[in-house]
Amino acid sequence: VSDVVQVVILAFRSSWRYFIFWILLVFSIVISSALNDWAGVYSAVKYIALAAVLLALLVFTPSSDLLLRIMMFVAVTALAAFLVVVIFLPEYMDRSVGRAGWIWMPAGVMWKAGVYLLPVLFWRLLVKDITYLTLVSFSVCVFLLAIDGSRTGAVVFALSVLLLSLIYVMRVGSYARALGILVGAILLAATARYVVLYCINYEAVVLVEHREAVVLVEHRETGDGIRLQMLKDAWHGAVGNFTWGGGFGSTVSYIESFGQPVVVHMAYLQVLSDLGVLGLIAYLGVLFYPVGVVLSRIMQTGVSAFDTLLLPVSVVSIYSFSGLLHPVSNEISEWFIVLVSIAIILKDSSHAKAS
């Protein structure tokens, strides 16, 4: 037991600066909760648990290659399961206008099985010989995004391929290869979307029942107006609760068509309104400190760190970007892949300092 404790202490000491942000985040949750009748105090326990998981991952850190293989397996399994549902169990499909999924991986979830892999697979298409495995894996991820119909996923795809193409041109200088693969990726995405729209009837808004589980997918015609109302409500909350916040989970928007309060789909404004400025600083530190570590490593070592850490930094960056369009989460199902990626980055940094 003492050996395990020593290993955990060493893991914490190697990344203690980063864990300051987690401590501040938990502190801000407790303070904002105490000042607002203990609203949302349970989230402090959840974030402590997430920090504990990260600490454990720093002790038992997987390699980037292992993470890549596991994520590829998950993506292929997600697509295969969806195809089985479409062909043999259509009654369990989850369909809405422009989006689809199934009862255990509905629209809004399926795109996450593939989106984190897109940057590293596209980069491999750029810098290495195009292999069957890489091309098929990239296509699987693109089809997952096409099936889900996530606008966040579409933006991430566009930004990823454009940014990586630019980096490739600056690094290698081959305009022709970058342009060819970029155009090919865009055509693949457009084709995937067309095939999905043609093969699956999105238009019917259906009610899917599975035992006691009920999934009702709302029509998205008024989605942008709803999102704007959410941002307005979050901004008013942030201004009124700038110092200490109104308590975790207190920032909601009252949308008449929903008939109940809904969580604001903008994590950073939500955190500012819920936890105040200290909570926002802590949350930004939790997400962006690892990205800063990678940038520092790239400046020190050049392209080697970029190639080694592209997958974990892509995961953290995409999750951080999605916070602009999605609510904050304290669930391990959302955070686990991010925590694994952060652990890989921090472990690489500690090894670099030791050497």
Side-chain angles (χ1 to χ4, degrees), residues 225-264:
I226 291 173
R227 191 177 296 274
L228 180 60
Q229 182 62 46
M230 289 179 176
L231 293 177
K232 289 180 179 179
D233 293 340
W235 176 253
H236 288 310
V239 172
N241 301 304
F242 183 79
T243 306
W244 295 112
F248 193 94
S250 63
T251 306
V252 294
S253 189
Y254 294 89
I255 308 299
E256 184 176 351
S257 60
F258 284 14
Q260 60 183 358
V262 293
V263 66
V264 171

Side-chain angles (χ1 to χ4, degrees), residues 14-325:
S14 66
S15 304
W16 66 270
R17 291 180 181 85
Y18 176 63
F19 279 99
I20 289 176
F21 293 110
W22 284 91
I23 294 171
L24 287 177
L25 181 60
V26 172
F27 176 76
S28 65
I29 293 173
V30 173
I31 291 297
S32 64
S33 174
L35 295 175
N36 294 278
D37 297 324
W38 300 104
V41 69
Y42 67 92
S43 293
V45 178
K46 287 194 171 186
Y47 279 105
I48 290 173
L50 291 176
V53 171
L54 176 59
L55 193 57
L57 288 168
L58 284 173
V59 176
F60 306 101
T61 311
S63 65
S64 290
D65 288 338
L66 177 59
L67 178 61
L68 177 63
R69 289 194 293 271
I70 293 173
M71 291 172 67
M72 289 172 62
F73 174 78
V74 171
V76 171
T77 302
L79 182 59
F82 177 76
L83 293 177
V84 169
V85 170
V86 170
I87 297 171
F88 300 106
L89 301 167
E91 65 272 19
Y92 294 118
M93 281 188 63
D94 167 19
R95 293 175 293 176
S96 64
V97 177
R99 308 195 72 171
W102 61 295
I103 191 69
W104 297 119
M105 190 172 282
V109 175
M110 181 170 287
W111 69 282
K112 297 176 184 179
V115 71
Y116 293 125
L117 281 167
L118 284 173
V120 69
L121 293 175
F122 184 75
W123 184 249
R124 290 192 174 195
L125 292 174
L126 284 171
V127 301
K128 297 184 178 181
D129 293 334
I130 298 177
T131 65
Y132 177 78
L133 178 60
T134 304
L135 188 58
V136 170
S137 300
F138 184 75
S139 300
V140 167
C141 296
V142 170
F143 267 91
L144 287 172
L145 264 67
I147 292 168
D148 188 290
S150 167
R151 288 176 288 183
T152 306
V155 173
V156 169
F157 171 83
L159 291 177
S160 297
V161 298
L162 290 173
L163 180 60
L164 289 172
S165 296
L166 178 61
I167 292 174
Y168 176 80
V169 170
M170 294 173 62
R171 174 172 161 179
V172 180
S174 177
Y175 291 90
R177 182 178 177 86
L179 183 61
I181 294 177
L182 175 62
V183 171
I186 294 173
L187 289 176
L188 174 64
T191 302
R193 186 63 176 158
Y194 175 79
V195 169
V196 168
L197 288 172
Y198 180 79
C199 294
I200 300 174
N201 176 21
Y202 279 106
E203 297 305 319
V205 179
V206 295
L207 185 67
V208 183
E209 296 186 5
H210 182 70
R211 297 180 181 178
E212 297 180 358
V214 178
V215 177
L216 178 60
V217 183
E218 296 288 343
H219 200 290
R220 297 193 302 161
E221 284 184 348
T222 59
D224 292 332
I226 291 173
R227 191 177 296 274
L228 180 60
Q229 182 62 46
M230 289 179 176
L231 293 177
K232 289 180 179 179
D233 293 340
W235 176 253
H236 288 310
V239 172
N241 301 304
F242 183 79
T243 306
W244 295 112
F248 193 94
S250 63
T251 306
V252 294
S253 189
Y254 294 89
I255 308 299
E256 184 176 351
S257 60
F258 284 14
Q260 60 183 358
V262 293
V263 66
V264 171
H265 281 50
M266 207 296 193
Y268 303 105
L269 266 181
Q270 182 188 357
V271 170
L272 179 59
S273 179
D274 282 357
L275 306 180
V277 64
L278 178 62
L280 178 62
I281 292 172
Y283 188 73
L284 291 174
V286 165
L287 291 179
F288 290 102
Y289 181 93
V291 178
V293 168
V294 174
L295 293 177
S296 176
R297 290 278 290 123
I298 292 173
M299 292 177 64
Q300 293 172 0
T301 64
V303 296
S304 60
F306 181 83
D307 293 336
T308 303
L309 298 174
L310 178 57
L311 177 60
V313 77
S314 296
V315 172
V316 179
S317 299
I318 290 171
Y319 184 80
S320 302
F321 175 80
S322 68
L324 295 172
L325 302 168

